[in-house]
Amino acid sequence: MPAQVLCFGELLLRLGAPGRELLLQSPRLEVFVGGAEANVAVSLAKFGHRTALIGALPDNALGAAALAEMRRHGVDVSQVRLSELGRMGLYFLSQGAMHRPSEVLYDRADSAFALADAADYDWPGLLSGVEWLHMSGVTPALGAQCAEAALAAARNARKLGVKVSFDGNYRQKLWQASRGDAPAILNGIMAEADILFADHRDMAVVLQVDFEGDTPEALFVKAAEAAFREFPQLERFASTVRVQHSVDHHSLSALMLTRNGAKHRSPAKELSHIVDRIGGGDAFAAGLLHGLLTGMDDAQSLHFGLAAACLKHSVPGDVNLLSAGDVAA
């Protein structure tokens, strides 16, 4: 059967310093498989949905191991292409501690995914029978071919009646490396989206405006209203709101505004003794999409998404591995 949710993005290896060490403080690195879209695909599979990941990987032991990890969690990777060109995308992580922030180093240039020809993706065929297409702003930031493919995916989904969710996920370092026109490219993809996971910082980049507000909620509302004016097809605009007291103690809430003006807010949860915050936004997106796919109303979907995001902070690695029952509880 076709996937309910198709995710298009790069599958990565994360190489992290163990514990709270600095990178190569000791000669060891811990390996996790992840990536923004892959994280959403795995989480939705854990929630009981049929999910598939589309992309490209090097035809070597690293690519094979990443695919095996996705299969282990129930994600269909039968359409991921193995390529003789390019390498495995990597990033390195040193977890912060106390008042020392975490540090991420990207090593993704000339990956198999970045070098894949945009024309090789048969989007009408890949999207056949799919209910939702999910992508993030990381993908078009990786180069011209990735940006072209992401835009083609979104436009084909719109034509075929497939719902599109897009996570702004603006990564300045990646856009600087690829030298892409972030405002124009992201604007083109967002123009096809039914739901945006974004905040005022994402929209400031895309719309080239500065938003003013006394509170995070006020900034969110102004950004959402601007997005609804710019993108006539957009139905929902959602985001988490994070307050960092220290590396190990955050407060996390969630907001969503709909085109009809309804505003939903899930109150802040205190997160202490955080295990791993990487992938929290992806867990939120997967949780909210799960709510919409299963008939929850907007308020319930937002609440479920926030609960999923909070629980992700208790799980090492990039992916939320907990079930829908765990989140509901």
Side-chain angles (χ1 to χ4, degrees):
M1 296 177 66
Q4 283 180 290
V5 182
L6 184 70
C7 299
F8 174 53
E10 184 169 28
L11 197 54
L12 297 166
L13 294 183
R14 162 177 144 186
L15 305 178
R20 299 300 179 89
E21 292 183 9
L22 303 175
L23 281 171
L24 298 184
Q25 180 177 332
S26 62
R28 297 176 297 161
L29 292 170
E30 297 175 337
V31 182
F32 291 100
V33 177
E37 296 82 2
N39 298 343
V40 172
V42 170
S43 186
L44 283 171
K46 293 294 183 182
F47 293 159
H49 300 282
R50 301 186 309 277
T51 65
L53 182 68
I54 300 297
L57 286 171
D59 189 7
N60 59 29
L62 298 180
L67 287 179
E69 183 70 1
M70 290 297 102
R71 292 191 192 100
R72 184 168 77 91
H73 295 305
V75 177
D76 180 359
V77 289
S78 60
Q79 298 301 314
V80 174
R81 289 179 288 154
L82 295 176
S83 174
E84 297 293 336
L85 298 176
R87 49 183 285 271
M88 191 77 199
L90 310 173
Y91 80 95
F92 297 83
L93 173 68
S94 173
Q95 293 274 18
M98 297 176 64
H99 297 289
R100 172 173 59 83
S102 299
E103 182 180 8
V104 171
L105 298 176
Y106 292 112
D107 185 20
R108 304 173 72 159
D110 296 326
S111 69
F113 183 82
L115 296 179
D117 191 337
D120 289 342
Y121 294 105
D122 173 22
W123 291 116
L126 292 169
L127 290 164
S128 178
V130 171
E131 295 180 41
W132 280 88
L133 169 69
H134 180 76
M135 297 188 296
S136 84
V138 171
T139 292
L142 297 175
Q145 291 296 322
C146 294
E148 182 181 341
L151 185 56
R155 287 175 174 169
N156 276 277
R158 173 66 47 192
K159 290 178 183 177
L160 294 168
V162 176
K163 298 286 188 180
V164 177
S165 62
F166 187 73
D167 188 337
N169 235 345
Y170 180 71
R171 298 290 183 267
Q172 186 176 12
K173 291 180 181 179
L174 294 177
W175 283 104
Q176 288 176 338
S178 68
R179 299 180 181 179
D181 185 348
I185 293 169
L186 291 173
N187 190 296
I189 298 172
M190 289 183 177
E192 310 298 336
D194 296 273
I195 180 169
L196 283 177
F197 297 100
D199 61 17
H200 67 281
R201 290 162 295 192
D202 295 309
M203 300 317 301
V205 171
V206 173
L207 302 180
Q208 297 289 277
V209 298
D210 292 324
F211 297 101
E212 296 183 359
D214 296 331
T215 65
E217 186 166 336
L219 287 167
F220 171 85
V221 170
K222 289 188 176 182
E225 291 173 344
F228 287 126
R229 288 193 298 269
E230 180 75 9
F231 308 121
Q233 86 301 323
L234 184 64
E235 294 297 330
R236 296 176 177 90
F237 189 94
S239 177
T240 56
V241 178
R242 184 184 298 273
V243 178
Q244 300 187 48
H245 308 289
S246 71
V247 168
D248 292 318
H249 179 200
H250 297 181
S251 300
L252 196 68
S253 59
L255 295 162
M256 180 162 64
L257 201 67
T258 64
R259 176 162 289 280
N260 63 12
K263 182 171 70 174
H264 303 282
R265 185 178 190 276
S266 286
K269 307 294 183 184
E270 293 298 315
L271 307 178
S272 58
H273 307 292
I274 292 170
V275 173
D276 195 333
R277 65 164 288 185
I278 300 293
D282 303 322
F284 171 69
L288 200 157
L289 289 174
H290 169 76
L292 298 178
L293 283 162
T294 55
M296 296 183 194
D297 63 27
D298 285 344
Q300 292 170 327
S301 298
L302 184 69
H303 192 55
F304 190 94
L306 177 62
C310 290
L311 285 178
K312 167 60 195 73
H313 289 68
S314 72
V315 180
D318 289 33
V319 178
N320 182 22
L321 299 176
L322 297 169
S323 70
D326 294 326
V327 178

